[in-house]
Amino acid sequence: VAERPAASLVEHRRGRVRWLASGLLESAGVRHGFTTRAGGASRGAFAGLNFSSREGDLPERVRENWRRIESAAGLPPHSWALLSQVHGARVEVVAAGAAACHHRRGHAEADAMVTGRPGVVLGVLTADCLPVVIAVPGAGAVGIAHAGWRGTVQGVGAAAVRELCALAGASPRDLVAALGPAIGACCYQVGEEVRAAFRARWGARAVARVFTGRGPWSLDLQEANRLQLLGAGLRERSIESVPLCTACRRDLFYSYRRDGRRSGRMLTFCTTADGG
Ligand SMILES: [Zn+2]
């Protein structure tokens, strides 16, 4: 059994805004982050640093939250590439960024993006689903995926790896990956139809590794995506998971499972832009 690296979570703080990062990716020079609720302008059900107004938050507060993370993390404005996330496995190749957009209309329908264009910031929004950041260190090529159970079973992470390798002329063994905060197996009970979907596409052995219980089943989304990245050719030591459950940590994260429809969204970003 190959050894798994100890997670090296990094916490960034600028004023009241706090975001997390993978120590593994930072030491490889990959600029990225996973936001927390801390330091946001939103109130009520959306209290904190919420990046979507589609669930009912006030657009001006959400715009202010985008401004705050750009300022705190030193991200260039008008450089964002965002998606209309649809729980599939399509990967968008991004050529240019634009101003941050709080409502997520008019974006490409996809659940992953890759880019080799300097200065572009890729962003996905989540509230339990798993954000996956991948990069080719030193090559100025990054990718990001949004993986709920549907995207995971369809292989969105592996699809992003293939596109990034094609774009950068890299091998999967050159890539590093971080699996961000997501709902943990502790809180993610799913029905038989979810397990059946995995069994049909992944086989019984993989199912035994990512589901526990006897119906309802508990799904370990991070482990499912870690196995998928290993299957795509990444090295074990090049993958790091942030060991925090979005549903358990109300203080840090929004959770759709815990809070229902009126809940905020965290932002995961990664960028080819130079540090600012
Ligand atoms: Zn939990």
Side-chain angles (χ1 to χ4, degrees), residues 153-242:
V153 78
Q154 293 172 66
V156 67
V161 166
R162 284 193 297 274
E163 289 289 340
L164 186 63
C165 287
L167 185 78
S171 152
R173 294 178 66 77
D174 303 330
L175 269 58
V176 291
L179 308 178
I183 192 163
C186 44
C187 296
Y188 196 25
Q189 291 201 333
V190 295
E192 178 59 33
E193 75 285 359
V194 175
R195 188 164 164 275
F198 275 84
R199 195 172 45 223
R201 295 184 71 147
W202 290 28
R205 265 185 71 193
V207 163
R209 293 183 68 173
V210 300
F211 288 87
T212 52
R214 297 208 161 274
W217 305 91
S218 295
L219 171 59
D220 188 337
L221 211 47
Q222 276 193 343
E223 180 63 5
N225 281 274
R226 197 183 71 86
L227 292 175
Q228 183 172 134
L229 294 180
L230 289 173
L234 271 74
R235 301 174 201 239
E236 186 124 27
R237 65 166 187 268
S238 301
I239 305 170
E240 183 167 78
S241 299
V242 172

Side-chain angles (χ1 to χ4, degrees), residues 68-123:
R68 287 186 188 184
I69 194 66
E70 286 174 355
S71 168
L75 299 169
H78 310 294
S79 302
W80 290 95
L82 304 168
L83 296 171
S84 180
Q85 299 167 189
V86 291
H87 295 281
R90 206 180 77 72
V91 184
E92 178 82 0
V93 179
V94 174
C101 179
H102 61 89
H103 50 60
R104 286 191 290 162
R105 279 183 217 104
H107 299 302
E109 285 198 355
D111 289 276
M113 284 177 285
V114 297
T115 193
R117 199 57 70 100
V120 172
V121 189
L122 307 180

Side-chain angles (χ1 to χ4, degrees), residues 41-65:
S42 295
R43 299 286 174 263
F46 304 100
L49 198 64
N50 167 37
F51 290 94
S52 175
S53 62
R54 216 172 63 162
E55 292 73 25
D57 197 1
L58 297 174
E60 57 268 31
R61 289 185 182 159
V62 177
R63 270 196 294 273
E64 168 63 13
N65 291 334

